[in-house]
Amino acid sequence: MKWDQFFITDEPLIVGAGISILLTGLGIIFVLTYLKKWKWLWNEWLTTVDHKKIGIMYILFAILMLFRGGVDALMMRTQLAVPNAHFLDAQHYNEIFTTHGTIMILFMAMPFLIGLINVVIPLQIGARDVAYPYLNAVSFWTFFFGACLFNISFVIGGSPSAGWTSYMPLAGNELSPGPGQNYYLLGLQISGIGTLLTGINFLVTILKMRAKGMTLLRMPMFTWSTLITCVIIIFAFPILTVALALMTFDRLFGSHFFTLASGGMDMLWANLFWLWGHPEVYIVILPAFGMFSEIISTFSRKTLFGYKAMVYSMLVIAGLSFVVWVHHFFTMGSGAAVNSFFSITTMAIGIPTGVKIFNWLFTMYKGKISVTTPMLWSLGFIVNFVIGGVTGVMLAMGAADYQYHNTYFLISHFHYVLIAGTVFGCFAGLHFWYPKMVGYKLNERIGKWCFWIFTIGFNICFFPMYILGLDGMPRRIYTYNASDGWTELNIVATIGAFMMGIGFILLVYNVYYSFRYAKREQTGDAWDGRTLEWSTTSAIPPHYNFAKIPEVTGLDGFWRSKQEKETENVEYKPIHMPSYSGRPFVMSAFLFISGFGLVFEWWAIAILGAIGTLICMVLRSFDYDDGYYVNVEEIQKTESVYKEV
Amino acid sequence: MDNQKQNSSLVDNRFPWKHFVGYLLSVVLTLMALWITFSSGFSLSIIFAIIIVLAILQAVLQLLMFMHITERNSKIQTGTMLYAAFIAITIVAGSIWVMSAGHAAH
């Protein structure tokens, strides 16, 4: 391979992006060196096994990816604003919608939610860390390096361009030559390890490490939704792992699982992809449902309405999520029996989801509602998500789907559920738990401006797409003619998209503004909360979370203990905590090297990386570090500082 | 903390024979499947039959050797097994049904 094929040099936009990445990287290196922060970075962050820090790194990475995925989206909207535009060519447009989809689902929505889960869940169940802290670090770093591998594709070697669904035969060697599609396969494979490990880790954490008295039916709703999400992750992600491995074999080693030649079944890829893909969309929506439940309950100052109905409907959603996958390819034409079956199961999902919507409304009914920023995002979610849900039921009808399929109607539908559901959920959760992460709230005034501009922009961007879809505008086209009659609505949609961009800038500005000016929280209870994460003695919990593990006597445990209001002198005992380790970082870096070698079929590099990974695993097997004890004096010292204020 | 103390006293320092044998047998079963497919010279349907049997054997072996299936003291265990069976059947039977019905078969 020649150097000018290795580094993409023929596309000014990409060269510009490459140069700005290089400059930013150099800038970061300079600042770290100048401030002598390298050691701090390694000791405090890169080697950490503290769930709160890992969670914050997940969220930072997610916001970075939201920026990249968002820039991709704005470039697409710019190209489509007017007919016959020449901003992007066909190939570049294909690359951008591929990376936009993949990044937004796997590298933005997933880490944002997993980050919030990391920060909140151990605190919410009264635990000092997750069940497997070392594994948690492995989760983050494999995820991080997998995502980085995917992200460098656009400057080194070229981006994948077969869509985030990567249907065969389009994604095969004949139609997608070069390293692009390999980046997709290896990047997702490596980051998928991290997601699967997170699923296992939090399942065990929630089942085994709850505070005394917290029975399953006393768990906060966010914990319940995370538990169910973990179950779905554990059962769904192996399907993706296998499907990716099979396609990797097809592309790198000449096997014929999904090829047209030699008896391969191309549509089997679509089948396997959606067997994972549909549960995946529930993986990204259920934690958001859990967060909305917490927020709506907190700011209505009422216990969640229909707690058990909420739990059961999530269990039903988890079960049904595995039997609806064919609705993504009704038009493959599996016949009336198959399509009817999957139409009915799909519509059935609307029932438990509807139950949840009504429960949120009834939670607010006669509540003392305070409209804070997290609550605003939750209210916005209910309205907009219902629009997405109703159009989802329209798409669920197999026969009607032949009309909607592959048009902007579908695009609008899934953005209405994913943005109004997952993204609103992430923003709501970020505002809600922000004081728990950094010790102060995000500014409410900027937060509300951000909400209104983003939400109005979102509707201006995506509502016209329903009509464009009904007017027959297909998805994934890079341009159209004026005679198609789609121009006006496309201009409107583009305006909306840029409003969402402004909303995002406001969010980032809010982070800076609040860092400078926000009032620092004096207690751990920033919002008059109901669940255990607000019961910590300090705004940012100490690294061991709880000096004394709280006891729970019912639902909304912390709310109950606040009503009783008793101060007792606690007797501290030494706390056992896990040691930090740099090995997860190093091991994942080796996986990255191995993946990079496979992408370019440079076998020596691939094998070298694999050997490095293996050595790290062997070293871990002979690692007898059982952690350390935080002694009583240190606990007393830490706790007394907060007692005084 | 008390919990963790108990756990560390339960650490088992004996050689993990069960895992070792399980791993070896899994490798052997996989190699057998490879040999039968590439070098046995059986007809296609017989190869299919044999490797399906080998796959089921290996699944059972892993459940026994690694997955604690013999611990029958918890309801969650039973629930998980049933749910796993449901998912496995859905994936296999569902895929066959979907891929062999209607136009998809041609």
Side-chain angles (χ1 to χ4, degrees), chain A residues 21 67 104 116 148 169 221 223 284 307 396 458 490 506 519:
Chain A
I21 289 172
F67 172 73
M104 284 301 201
L116 288 165
C148 286
M221 196 49 61
T223 307
V284 294
Y307 176 91
F458 161 70
N490 269 301
L506 275 178
K519 187 170 76 65

Side-chain angles (χ1 to χ4, degrees), chain A residues 128 207 216 231 235 239 265 267-268 271-272 275 318-319 322-323 325-326 329 332-335 337-338 341-342 573-576 626 629, chain B residues 1-5 8 11 13 76 80-81 83-88 90-105:
Chain A
R128 286 181 174 136
L207 287 180
L216 281 178
V231 173
F235 285 106
I239 307 174
M265 290 174 91
M267 280 310 283
L268 185 61
N271 182 69
L272 290 175
L275 261 166
F322 279 94
V323 289
W325 76 93
V326 177
F329 49 96
M332 179 170 93
S334 285
V338 171
F341 176 85
F342 285 95
K573 289 179 186 160
I575 295 171
H576 184 245
D626 284 336
Y629 281 91
Chain B
M1 184 202 73
D2 290 337
N3 253 338
Q4 265 142 344
K5 257 189 183 164
S8 55
V11 167
N13 284 322
I76 287 178
T80 316
M81 293 303 298
Y83 190 61
F86 162 69
I87 299 288
T90 303
I91 294 171
V92 176
S95 295
I96 292 172
W97 185 39
V98 169
M99 294 306 294
S100 59
H103 298 299

Side-chain angles (χ1 to χ4, degrees), chain A residues 313-347:
Chain A
S313 39
M314 279 196 291
L315 287 171
V316 172
I317 290 175
L320 282 176
S321 71
F322 279 94
V323 289
V324 297
W325 76 93
V326 177
H327 70 216
H328 295 274
F329 49 96
F330 277 143
T331 51
M332 179 170 93
S334 285
V338 171
N339 282 7
S340 308
F341 176 85
F342 285 95
S343 287
I344 292 166
T345 51
T346 305
M347 287 185 230

Side-chain angles (χ1 to χ4, degrees), chain A residues 300-311:
Chain A
S300 304
R301 296 173 69 85
K302 269 177 71 188
T303 304
L304 193 65
F305 182 89
Y307 176 91
K308 278 191 181 168
M310 286 294 215
V311 173

Side-chain angles (χ1 to χ4, degrees), chain A residues 376-442:
Chain A
L376 257 186
W377 285 110
S378 309
L379 297 172
F381 149 75
I382 294 179
V383 177
N384 291 296
F385 187 81
V386 167
I387 301 175
V390 169
T391 49
V393 178
M394 291 168 74
L395 284 157
M397 295 179 277
D401 183 70
Y402 275 75
Q403 280 301 315
Y404 305 131
H405 185 83
N406 211 38
T407 69
Y408 265 79
F409 190 86
L410 167 80
I411 304 299
S412 187
H413 156 70
F414 74 69
H415 282 93
Y416 259 90
V417 281
L418 281 170
I419 294 181
T422 307
V423 177
F424 281 24
C426 291
F427 288 172
L430 182 72
H431 282 81
F432 188 54
W433 282 296
Y434 203 72
K436 199 85 299 196
M437 290 182 248
V438 296
Y440 51 87
K441 289 177 191 166
L442 285 168

Side-chain angles (χ1 to χ4, degrees), chain A residues 255-266 268:
Chain A
S255 62
H256 292 282
F257 292 106
F258 306 126
T259 55
L260 289 178
S262 307
M265 290 174 91
D266 51 339
L268 185 61

